[in-house]
Amino acid sequence: VQLQASGGGLVQSGGSLRLSCAASGLTFRLYGMAWFRQAPGKEREFIAGIDWSGSRTVYADSVKGRFTISRDNAKQTVYLQMNRLKPEDAAVYYCAADRQWYPDEKSRVPDDYDYWGQGTQVTVSS
């Protein structure tokens, strides 16, 4: 199984980025997907999750209204559109897959996920 995250980079505060995570080696449409992030010296933090169909999503309060998670099952890809970026959004962003995903508190726990991508760096300048 491979989850290949891409789309990170350097952006000014208030700008936008779109992250992508391309999956292979698994039946993508059966998995819930999520994005987490980890800043230096901090724990991995849940950002957003989406169920297998794309009909149910959950977000961390810190990004609600600014970030949007979506997926394209035909392309086996999950996306994270990030708008109005802030310096505190800077981190390495990871995508993750969970066969038993449900929009509850467990979906916010990193240990609940089966597979992880390698991460993509997002830097936000003030």
Side-chain angles (χ1 to χ4, degrees):
V1 174
Q2 271 200 323
L3 301 178
Q4 184 71 38
S6 61
L10 172 64
V11 64
Q12 284 190 331
S13 181
S16 298
L17 280 176
R18 188 195 197 201
L19 305 184
S20 299
C21 173
S24 60
L26 76 170
T27 307
F28 182 74
R29 60 180 171 79
L30 297 181
Y31 284 76
M33 300 296 295
W35 288 95
F36 288 76
R37 68 188 181 191
Q38 189 165 19
K42 295 188 176 181
E43 292 188 352
R44 195 163 292 192
E45 173 190 17
F46 171 83
I47 296 302
I50 188 167
D51 76 342
W52 67 273
S53 69
S55 62
R56 293 180 293 181
T57 57
V58 291
Y59 295 91
D61 288 345
S62 59
V63 305
K64 203 172 291 183
R66 299 188 298 123
F67 291 12
T68 303
I69 188 171
S70 61
R71 66 188 294 159
D72 185 334
N73 285 349
K75 295 182 179 179
Q76 303 221 140
T77 301
V78 63
Y79 304 97
L80 185 68
Q81 177 67 43
M82 305 187 294
N83 297 328
R84 303 201 311 273
L85 281 159
K86 305 174 181 180
E88 53 262 44
D89 294 318
V92 177
Y93 281 70
Y94 298 91
C95 57
D98 178 11
R99 180 67 177 85
Q100 303 294 332
W101 195 89
Y102 190 77
D104 59 8
E105 285 305 307
K106 282 184 60 180
S107 71
R108 301 171 185 264
V109 178
D111 286 348
D112 199 52
Y113 287 79
D114 303 315
Y115 303 108
W116 289 86
Q118 86 290 357
T120 185
Q121 177 74 50
V122 172
T123 304
V124 184
S125 63
S126 56

